[in-house]
Amino acid sequence: MDDLSSGPRLCYSDRAGIPREFVLSDHAPRVMVGRSSDADIAFTADPDVSRLHATVERIGTYWTIVDDGMSRNGTFVNGERVTGRRRLRSGDRIRIGSSMLAFRHDGRASGALTNVAHAVPTRECLTKTQRTVLIALCSPRKHRSGFASPASNQQIADQLGVNAETVKTHMRALFSKFGVEDLPQNQKRARLVERAMQSGFITDKDL
């Protein structure tokens, strides 16, 4: 028998604080989350959750969360507000109102994504300048494919109006905070971009 706990699911605590899991199924590709008792996942005791707050939907081979403006206080994934639809990745933390859920998918295909989530710092861990440097590093993806090479230190320096040594200092800090400092030198930059983009720490809107 298949182990359902390794499949896609939403983990949360009910109003009594008891951990719960809602297993996501291809047979029910749309899951409603809200304060209403009719919701598939109901946070009836959280006044900050709208009656019909957000939906989790399967699109193709991926699970996504959708908040198209129907919630009063918004839906947040890893601290970033969702506008429209957002793809979920294993380890994503979802906040609706004062309630939290976690998206888990422990199958082989998602193991790398789980590791990425564990290696991503919180936004508070980065200085404003470090985040600016990180956005500049990822910026070649804006007008090219996802395989575009990350910006070089000199390109970042020219874009931000600083010298290359300053950028190099911030890059060393970013390598450490995203857990890629031990990789070969020729892999660090691409892996940093990959982790920042896959985790949702940097989005297309930031570029």
Side-chain angles (χ1 to χ4, degrees):
M1 181 179 295
D2 292 338
D3 181 5
L4 290 178
S5 66
S6 68
R9 61 202 187 279
L10 293 168
C11 306
Y12 63 99
S13 295
D14 64 17
R15 63 186 302 172
I18 299 173
R20 301 289 186 186
E21 285 191 354
F22 187 98
V23 176
L24 299 171
S25 168
D26 295 350
H27 303 295
R30 190 171 189 268
V31 176
M32 178 63 68
V33 184
R35 195 177 75 253
S36 170
S37 59
D38 293 329
D40 299 295
I41 298 177
F43 294 102
T44 56
D46 188 342
D48 296 323
V49 174
S50 297
R51 286 183 57 79
L52 301 178
H53 197 105
T55 57
V56 175
E57 297 181 7
R58 185 175 176 86
I59 302 295
T61 59
Y62 305 115
W63 285 93
T64 66
I65 189 161
V66 184
D67 186 333
D68 54 7
M70 59 185 174
S71 69
R72 182 177 68 254
N73 295 316
T75 300
F76 297 80
V77 175
N78 301 328
E80 182 173 347
R81 185 162 187 161
V82 174
T83 54
R85 183 184 303 276
R86 174 167 174 155
R87 177 182 171 183
L88 291 172
R89 303 179 187 275
S90 188
D92 277 351
R93 299 174 302 280
I94 305 164
R95 178 169 65 82
I96 65 169
S98 301
S99 300
M100 296 293 298
L101 306 94
F103 176 73
R104 304 291 184 194
H105 191 174
D106 301 331
R108 291 181 181 178
S110 64
L113 294 179
T114 302
N115 291 336
V116 167
H118 291 164
V120 175
T122 63
R123 293 179 182 274
E124 292 75 17
C125 289
L126 265 61
T127 67
K128 183 178 180 180
T129 302
Q130 287 169 356
R131 178 170 167 76
T132 300
V133 169
L134 183 57
I135 291 172
L137 177 74
C138 301
S139 62
R141 289 201 176 198
K142 181 174 183 179
H143 300 295
R144 285 174 273 173
S145 72
F147 299 100
S149 298
S152 67
N153 286 351
Q154 190 59 58
Q155 288 172 328
I156 295 172
D158 293 342
Q159 181 177 335
L160 302 182
V162 298
N163 61 60
E165 283 301 314
T166 298
V167 173
K168 188 175 181 179
T169 298
H170 290 304
M171 288 298 301
R172 282 198 296 265
L174 289 168
F175 290 151
S176 176
K177 291 181 178 182
F178 279 82
V180 300
E181 70 271 29
D182 293 330
L183 292 177
Q185 192 64 36
N186 63 347
Q187 297 179 22
K188 289 182 180 181
R189 304 173 76 83
R191 188 62 62 84
L192 174 56
V193 170
E194 177 185 330
R195 290 191 172 180
M197 298 293 290
Q198 281 188 342
S199 66
F201 197 99
I202 300 296
T203 68
D204 290 340
K205 290 168 58 177
D206 294 317
L207 305 181

